[in-house]
Amino acid sequence: MTGSVRDHKPRWYRPRSLRGQILLWLAPWILVGAVVAGGAFWVSYSALIHTFMEYQMEVLARSHATGGPVAASHSGSDSNTNATDRTMDTGLGLEPLPLLSDVNILDWGAFAVQIWSADGRLLAASRPDTAVPLQAAPGHHRLRADGAWAPGWRVYSAAAAGPYQRRVQVLQSEKFLQEEVAVRTLYVIVPMALLVPALLFTLWVVVGRASQSLRSVADEVAQRDDRSLGAIRMDRVPEEIVPLVGSFNALLARLGEAFAAQRRFVQDAAHELRTPMAAMALQMENLRPFVPMGDAQQQFAQLDAGMRRAQHLVGQLLRLSRQEAPVAAQASTAPVDITALLRDSVGQLMPLADQRRIDVGFAGDGQVAFHAAASELRSVFDNLLDNALRYTPEGGAVEVRLHRLDSGAVVDIMDTGPGIPPDLLERVFDRFFRVPGNDADGSGLGLAITRAAALRHGLRVELRARDDGATGLVARVHLPAPKDPSHGPQPLLTPG
């Protein structure tokens, strides 16, 4: 059966980040809003300015239509007709209109005035070369130029005041009106166009700062382990996720109580077992002289070895529970000479080395002063050295080296034992885990205690195969870089 692998790579239209999603959703709406606002302003301002200009054209036309007629006599059968009804405005006596240039018409929107006689003759014009005829119907008209889309004229043709009276026609350039509306709309759209990227940038920064606070919370959560289950600080948490962080803090508190209950149980059980086991060991010592030779004595030796392993296991359980206690509960630290500590650890385990005829060597390039609890540091190196001696065959060699790498000072404990398969180098730090096929005595807690004690003081324990061609294992303890002693453990390597 074959299956397809779903591509989880984020696409531009489906971003995974909160910032990208907000911008992807808001940016089109902001742009649409800006375009709609600009269009609405175009329509409203265009209607406003056209209405205003049409009113001004009407006022101007009425002001030029108030001039009286000039008499002109008529003969014939209408001699009895009223003189006013028989007179025609010939345009005589009209004041000349000011001539307008293209700048006045196109750039400033000046009104061009035409005065027509009753019989359709042009009596006066402020723009004589404008080929706009008198409109037959009074009112507002819109005339286009020769081109289909070229701007033309807006015309208001006033009705005559009476028979044989002049008519006034007012013109205004359509191009001026269109440009005026376009310019005013640009005055609105340009600030909005500048506001759009500013708004998007503000959203980018605000969401970025919120994301940064989330990342700081995530980093703080990532630093939590079973030895540091303190509550996460709420002062830098966005208000929207305060309930989530509060619930997580409550979960951390419950986990802390559960781990504390587990440690108390292990400590109480180990303490309760120490007394009866010590009593049993004493009774076995009292019974030893009365055990007959032969099979009984052999069985008694096996019982005695089992009792010693059980006592060792109880002691390791106590040490493990102490090492896994919260860091705040540890005792105050003091400068510890690592070189002297290593020499003492080697000296204490020399009887075991002599018993197994193992050659133990020590080499140090300098003196290291480290601020930590001496007993806990001692447990780190004691367990590593004890493992090296137990798993090295008789007649082998164990070497302890204190030296410096580019990353800082390190302690190497090298043995000539069988080593550990690469896929099990991390598993051996688990509680009660033992490498399959290994017959050496042990409970599987030594390396767990070692790592717990090392982590309490900022040390890092690494297991690796030897790189010099020999069989065996290298247990390397990385000492942290020097820092202020008031802030925790500090190694200082000086020439010896």
Side-chain angles (χ1 to χ4, degrees), residues 355-368:
Q355 179 183 354
R356 297 175 55 82
R357 294 181 290 108
I358 296 175
D359 183 21
V360 179
F362 176 79
D365 293 341
Q367 184 179 9
V368 175

PDB file of all heavy atoms in Angstrom, residues 355-368:
ATOM      1  N   GLN A 355      42.313  -4.526  43.915  1.00  0.00           N
ATOM      2  CA  GLN A 355      41.691  -5.852  43.966  1.00  0.00           C
ATOM      3  C   GLN A 355      41.535  -6.437  42.569  1.00  0.00           C
ATOM      4  O   GLN A 355      41.682  -7.640  42.372  1.00  0.00           O
ATOM      5  CB  GLN A 355      40.330  -5.741  44.659  1.00  0.00           C
ATOM      6  CG  GLN A 355      39.577  -7.064  44.755  1.00  0.00           C
ATOM      7  CD  GLN A 355      38.206  -6.879  45.389  1.00  0.00           C
ATOM      8  OE1 GLN A 355      37.868  -5.783  45.853  1.00  0.00           O
ATOM      9  NE2 GLN A 355      37.432  -7.946  45.423  1.00  0.00           N
ATOM     10  N   ARG A 356      41.244  -5.568  41.591  1.00  0.00           N
ATOM     11  CA  ARG A 356      41.038  -6.037  40.223  1.00  0.00           C
ATOM     12  C   ARG A 356      42.284  -5.852  39.367  1.00  0.00           C
ATOM     13  O   ARG A 356      42.247  -6.061  38.162  1.00  0.00           O
ATOM     14  CB  ARG A 356      39.865  -5.282  39.586  1.00  0.00           C
ATOM     15  CG  ARG A 356      38.527  -5.535  40.310  1.00  0.00           C
ATOM     16  CD  ARG A 356      37.425  -4.683  39.720  1.00  0.00           C
ATOM     17  NE  ARG A 356      37.278  -4.882  38.274  1.00  0.00           N
ATOM     18  CZ  ARG A 356      36.619  -5.874  37.704  1.00  0.00           C
ATOM     19  NH1 ARG A 356      36.028  -6.801  38.478  1.00  0.00           N
ATOM     20  NH2 ARG A 356      36.538  -5.975  36.404  1.00  0.00           N
ATOM     21  N   ARG A 357      43.387  -5.465  39.979  1.00  0.00           N
ATOM     22  CA  ARG A 357      44.667  -5.283  39.301  1.00  0.00           C
ATOM     23  C   ARG A 357      44.526  -4.353  38.089  1.00  0.00           C
ATOM     24  O   ARG A 357      44.948  -4.632  36.989  1.00  0.00           O
ATOM     25  CB  ARG A 357      45.237  -6.632  38.873  1.00  0.00           C
ATOM     26  CG  ARG A 357      45.619  -7.509  40.060  1.00  0.00           C
ATOM     27  CD  ARG A 357      46.222  -8.850  39.649  1.00  0.00           C
ATOM     28  NE  ARG A 357      45.226  -9.723  39.043  1.00  0.00           N
ATOM     29  CZ  ARG A 357      45.193 -10.018  37.753  1.00  0.00           C
ATOM     30  NH1 ARG A 357      46.107  -9.519  36.939  1.00  0.00           N
ATOM     31  NH2 ARG A 357      44.274 -10.844  37.278  1.00  0.00           N
ATOM     32  N   ILE A 358      43.869  -3.204  38.341  1.00  0.00           N
ATOM     33  CA  ILE A 358      43.651  -2.198  37.299  1.00  0.00           C
ATOM     34  C   ILE A 358      44.584  -1.026  37.557  1.00  0.00           C
ATOM     35  O   ILE A 358      44.679  -0.510  38.680  1.00  0.00           O
ATOM     36  CB  ILE A 358      42.176  -1.716  37.285  1.00  0.00           C
ATOM     37  CG1 ILE A 358      41.249  -2.883  36.916  1.00  0.00           C
ATOM     38  CG2 ILE A 358      41.986  -0.553  36.320  1.00  0.00           C
ATOM     39  CD1 ILE A 358      39.779  -2.522  36.986  1.00  0.00           C
ATOM     40  N   ASP A 359      45.275  -0.598  36.519  1.00  0.00           N
ATOM     41  CA  ASP A 359      46.201   0.527  36.611  1.00  0.00           C
ATOM     42  C   ASP A 359      45.413   1.832  36.474  1.00  0.00           C
ATOM     43  O   ASP A 359      44.730   2.058  35.470  1.00  0.00           O
ATOM     44  CB  ASP A 359      47.253   0.419  35.507  1.00  0.00           C
ATOM     45  CG  ASP A 359      48.288   1.529  35.607  1.00  0.00           C
ATOM     46  OD1 ASP A 359      48.443   2.111  36.689  1.00  0.00           O
ATOM     47  OD2 ASP A 359      48.941   1.816  34.567  1.00  0.00           O
ATOM     48  N   VAL A 360      45.495   2.693  37.488  1.00  0.00           N
ATOM     49  CA  VAL A 360      44.770   3.963  37.500  1.00  0.00           C
ATOM     50  C   VAL A 360      45.785   5.099  37.406  1.00  0.00           C
ATOM     51  O   VAL A 360      46.740   5.156  38.193  1.00  0.00           O
ATOM     52  CB  VAL A 360      43.910   4.120  38.771  1.00  0.00           C
ATOM     53  CG1 VAL A 360      43.182   5.466  38.754  1.00  0.00           C
ATOM     54  CG2 VAL A 360      42.914   2.970  38.873  1.00  0.00           C
ATOM     55  N   GLY A 361      45.558   5.998  36.434  1.00  0.00           N
ATOM     56  CA  GLY A 361      46.439   7.144  36.258  1.00  0.00           C
ATOM     57  C   GLY A 361      45.675   8.448  36.341  1.00  0.00           C
ATOM     58  O   GLY A 361      44.466   8.512  36.078  1.00  0.00           O
ATOM     59  N   PHE A 362      46.388   9.517  36.731  1.00  0.00           N
ATOM     60  CA  PHE A 362      45.780  10.837  36.830  1.00  0.00           C
ATOM     61  C   PHE A 362      46.709  11.849  36.189  1.00  0.00           C
ATOM     62  O   PHE A 362      47.921  11.849  36.433  1.00  0.00           O
ATOM     63  CB  PHE A 362      45.508  11.214  38.290  1.00  0.00           C
ATOM     64  CG  PHE A 362      44.960  12.615  38.437  1.00  0.00           C
ATOM     65  CD1 PHE A 362      43.618  12.881  38.185  1.00  0.00           C
ATOM     66  CD2 PHE A 362      45.785  13.671  38.799  1.00  0.00           C
ATOM     67  CE1 PHE A 362      43.121  14.158  38.309  1.00  0.00           C
ATOM     68  CE2 PHE A 362      45.285  14.951  38.930  1.00  0.00           C
ATOM     69  CZ  PHE A 362      43.945  15.197  38.684  1.00  0.00           C
ATOM     70  N   ALA A 363      46.134  12.730  35.365  1.00  0.00           N
ATOM     71  CA  ALA A 363      46.910  13.786  34.708  1.00  0.00           C
ATOM     72  C   ALA A 363      46.077  15.055  34.707  1.00  0.00           C
ATOM     73  O   ALA A 363      44.894  15.027  34.346  1.00  0.00           O
ATOM     74  CB  ALA A 363      47.284  13.386  33.285  1.00  0.00           C
ATOM     75  N   GLY A 364      46.694  16.175  35.098  1.00  0.00           N
ATOM     76  CA  GLY A 364      45.995  17.456  35.136  1.00  0.00           C
ATOM     77  C   GLY A 364      46.876  18.573  34.615  1.00  0.00           C
ATOM     78  O   GLY A 364      48.030  18.682  35.015  1.00  0.00           O
ATOM     79  N   ASP A 365      46.318  19.395  33.701  1.00  0.00           N
ATOM     80  CA  ASP A 365      47.076  20.502  33.129  1.00  0.00           C
ATOM     81  C   ASP A 365      47.075  21.735  34.021  1.00  0.00           C
ATOM     82  O   ASP A 365      47.803  22.691  33.774  1.00  0.00           O
ATOM     83  CB  ASP A 365      46.492  20.882  31.761  1.00  0.00           C
ATOM     84  CG  ASP A 365      46.690  19.772  30.741  1.00  0.00           C
ATOM     85  OD1 ASP A 365      47.556  18.917  30.987  1.00  0.00           O
ATOM     86  OD2 ASP A 365      45.965  19.766  29.731  1.00  0.00           O
ATOM     87  N   GLY A 366      46.261  21.767  35.004  1.00  0.00           N
ATOM     88  CA  GLY A 366      46.184  22.946  35.858  1.00  0.00           C
ATOM     89  C   GLY A 366      45.261  22.708  37.018  1.00  0.00           C
ATOM     90  O   GLY A 366      44.806  21.588  37.272  1.00  0.00           O
ATOM     91  N   GLN A 367      44.976  23.758  37.726  1.00  0.00           N
ATOM     92  CA  GLN A 367      44.109  23.684  38.901  1.00  0.00           C
ATOM     93  C   GLN A 367      42.791  24.361  38.577  1.00  0.00           C
ATOM     94  O   GLN A 367      42.763  25.453  38.014  1.00  0.00           O
ATOM     95  CB  GLN A 367      44.777  24.364  40.101  1.00  0.00           C
ATOM     96  CG  GLN A 367      43.973  24.247  41.379  1.00  0.00           C
ATOM     97  CD  GLN A 367      44.692  24.902  42.544  1.00  0.00           C
ATOM     98  OE1 GLN A 367      45.710  25.576  42.347  1.00  0.00           O
ATOM     99  NE2 GLN A 367      44.181  24.715  43.734  1.00  0.00           N
ATOM    100  N   VAL A 368      41.699  23.704  38.935  1.00  0.00           N
ATOM    101  CA  VAL A 368      40.361  24.228  38.664  1.00  0.00           C
ATOM    102  C   VAL A 368      39.672  24.502  39.981  1.00  0.00           C
ATOM    103  O   VAL A 368      39.573  23.619  40.837  1.00  0.00           O
ATOM    104  CB  VAL A 368      39.535  23.230  37.825  1.00  0.00           C
ATOM    105  CG1 VAL A 368      38.108  23.728  37.661  1.00  0.00           C
ATOM    106  CG2 VAL A 368      40.183  23.013  36.479  1.00  0.00           C
TER     107      VAL A 368
END
